[in-house]
Amino acid sequence: MSPIGEESPERLLERFNQKFARSGQAISAFFAPGRVNLIGEYTDFTGGLVFPCAINQGTRLLIRPTHDHQYRFASTNFDLMAQLEHSEISQTYGDNWINYPLGVLDQFIRRGVQLDGFDCLYSGNVPNGAGLSSSASIEVVTAFALDQLLHTELPLLELVHIAQAAENDFVGMQCGIMDQFAVAFARSGNAMMLDCHTLEHRQVPLHLDGLAIVVSNTNQRRELNESAYNDRVHECSRALDLLAPVLGITHLGQLSPRQLDEQATQFAGDSVALMRARHIADENARVRAAVPALENGDMQAFGSLMNASHDSLRDLFEVSSGPLDHLVRLARMQPGVLGSRLTGAGFGGCTVSLMPESGVSGFIRQVGADYTAATGLTADFYTIQPGDGVRRLGLDTPT
Ligand code: GLA
């Protein structure tokens, strides 16, 4: 089913030794997962509610301190290998994945931490740019590894802030905190209800009782660029500017659907901001309803809220795409499917669907075939087992 492979630790170690010259320093291994968001999309940067869980795929990092003031980055996923001097690590490296670890190094430097060189080999099995947080897994695994190897003993939440700041300040994507937080704090078998304003979070056991969470990847060439995402951030802050003086709210995540109905006239000249605000208010209300529905075993209700979330992301927030809508339509036509929606930043990437376990293989066959017939694209499918957050792996091997 899942075509995503995983290299054995021994094989990774071998690769590490092929890429980098041998030295007497120990190599350490770390892992951070990707995540799938079940509901609560595009609400995080407005201080709203989200409900993600970690997935069983992620990024492994093999890392070794070098003390030579050189920073070497390699990946088993890409050919490019970079070797940078200390003076080069505070500048972006083209439009490359290396900017994620560099952004994290930059945050440590800004906090006054002395760095003196690392060899890093990344190996990821989260599909890139698919809305499953491959970038947050790279950032968080890097921050966690640096903290351990440099003995900075930063709280996990601070590492989350470092990872988010790497993305905001270095990569230039004004993302919220959901991905980095989920990747760091996830617990196996649970999804996490997170208030992105207070950062209070609660683990919610996912008793799926014969149901499965299936992620379907459109494999659409991703149209998301930072600017489309950042546009949504600006549109939401325009909505807040209009509402804050009349409602006394400090972030859009506080807005209720009813308050928005009452204040809709404030948006006279800005229908786009009104649509965005409507999505945010309704989506937060959906998360508030979805979590208790899940806890009470009302999976039908949870699925309907997933459907409503997608429709709002498509029509009001305008972050879906033709292939995404198609995949969602096909999913909803399959027997027993309770809900299906885009997950992550949209503009391509993945959907998440809730269905009976017994129907998964039929779903994959039928949706896969119909999707290819309609779009000419081939979808990939992964069944999600919610996993744990960032951690050290048992591979401390002196070489
Ligand atoms: C991306 C961002 C997150 C969040 C989602 C949409 O994954 O990194 O902060 O905004 O999109 O919910």
Side-chain angles (χ1 to χ4, degrees):
M1 157 171 334
S2 165
I4 300 182
E6 186 176 274
E7 304 233 13
S8 69
E10 294 72 29
R11 175 77 189 111
L12 267 187
L13 201 55
E14 221 175 281
R15 294 246 212 168
F16 189 97
N17 286 322
Q18 282 160 5
K19 303 253 183 204
F20 306 115
R22 284 177 187 260
S23 88
Q25 300 292 324
I27 300 166
S28 303
F30 298 87
F31 172 82
R35 65 97 192 92
V36 60
N37 189 23
L38 301 179
I39 195 160
E41 213 66 80
Y42 271 98
T43 49
D44 59 350
F45 57 76
T46 68
L49 302 172
V50 295
F51 193 52
C53 64
I55 58 176
N56 35 342
Q57 289 110 10
T59 303
R60 298 182 203 208
L61 167 59
L62 263 57
I63 180 168
R64 173 173 62 192
T66 54
H67 310 298
D68 63 355
H69 301 276
Q70 301 289 313
Y71 299 81
R72 297 177 197 86
F73 299 96
S75 162
T76 61
N77 304 79
F78 303 100
D79 288 337
L80 179 92
M81 175 161 159
Q83 174 163 349
L84 304 175
E85 305 280 334
H86 193 88
S87 59
E88 294 171 311
I89 59 173
S90 294
Q91 300 146 33
T92 49
Y93 193 85
D95 187 14
N96 197 274
W97 69 270
I98 292 170
N99 288 329
Y100 299 119
L102 284 182
V104 171
L105 293 181
D106 181 55
Q107 288 296 320
F108 275 83
I109 293 169
R110 289 185 197 206
R111 283 163 174 76
V113 178
Q114 301 288 324
L115 307 179
D116 61 2
F118 289 101
D119 288 338
C120 303
L121 174 67
Y122 292 84
S123 182
N125 60 359
V126 182
N128 291 317
L132 300 177
S133 288
S134 55
S135 51
S137 76
I138 297 175
E139 291 152 2
V140 170
V141 80
T142 307
F144 190 84
L146 292 185
D147 178 62
Q148 298 245 325
L149 298 182
L150 298 167
H151 306 290
T152 37
E153 294 182 12
L154 297 171
L156 190 53
L157 182 57
E158 182 63 10
L159 300 178
V160 167
H161 287 305
I162 285 176
Q164 186 195 5
E167 184 113 13
N168 291 166
D169 300 347
F170 206 84
V171 179
M173 166 126 164
Q174 298 310 311
C175 66
I177 201 167
M178 167 172 71
D179 301 350
Q180 293 79 8
F181 198 100
V183 160
F185 283 98
R187 288 285 161 272
S188 165
N190 289 270
M192 165 196 306
M193 161 87 151
L194 169 66
D195 179 324
C196 298
H197 184 64
T198 61
L199 299 185
E200 273 170 44
H201 67 288
R202 186 160 70 83
Q203 301 289 345
V204 179
L206 277 176
H207 296 305
L208 291 171
D209 296 331
L211 295 178
I213 299 170
V214 175
V215 166
S216 312
N217 189 344
T218 58
N219 282 320
Q220 176 190 8
R221 229 183 118 78
R222 196 167 169 80
E223 293 158 16
L224 173 71
N225 46 37
E226 280 97 46
S227 79
Y229 185 96
N230 292 349
D231 286 348
R232 297 301 181 278
V233 175
H234 293 137
E235 289 154 2
C236 288
S237 75
R238 277 202 329 255
L240 179 63
D241 287 346
L242 292 170
L243 293 172
V246 279
L247 291 175
I249 56 174
T250 58
H251 54 282
L252 206 56
Q254 283 175 297
L255 178 70
S256 71
R258 183 161 165 196
Q259 282 174 314
L260 184 58
D261 287 343
E262 288 165 3
Q263 299 300 335
T265 51
Q266 305 292 336
F267 291 84
D270 198 344
S271 56
V272 169
L274 176 59
M275 280 158 59
R276 307 307 188 231
R278 175 76 62 197
H279 168 76
I280 299 295
D282 291 351
E283 186 75 354
N284 279 314
R286 280 188 283 269
V287 181
R288 275 204 184 84
V291 175
L294 181 100
E295 288 174 307
N296 296 329
D298 188 351
M299 302 310 267
Q300 203 82 41
F302 191 87
S304 305
L305 291 160
M306 289 173 78
N307 287 340
S309 168
H310 180 82
D311 297 351
S312 174
L313 289 159
R314 180 192 59 210
D315 300 335
L316 298 177
F317 219 69
E318 300 180 296
V319 291
S320 191
S321 70
L324 268 174
D325 289 338
H326 210 79
L327 209 46
V328 163
R329 254 196 312 275
L330 291 172
R332 290 182 189 169
M333 284 161 58
Q334 302 312 307
V337 169
L338 297 170
S340 186
R341 58 182 288 277
L342 75 81
T343 185
F347 301 103
C350 288
T351 66
V352 56
S353 309
L354 190 63
M355 69 192 71
E357 238 163 22
S358 56
V360 173
S361 49
F363 174 94
I364 293 174
R365 219 177 17 253
Q366 193 63 48
V367 173
D370 291 351
Y371 178 72
T372 300
T375 62
L377 297 167
T378 305
D380 286 318
F381 299 92
Y382 328 107
T383 304
I384 298 304
Q385 269 101 44
D388 278 320
V390 65
R391 57 195 178 269
R392 191 172 192 137
L393 301 174
L395 176 83
D396 288 62
T397 315
T399 55

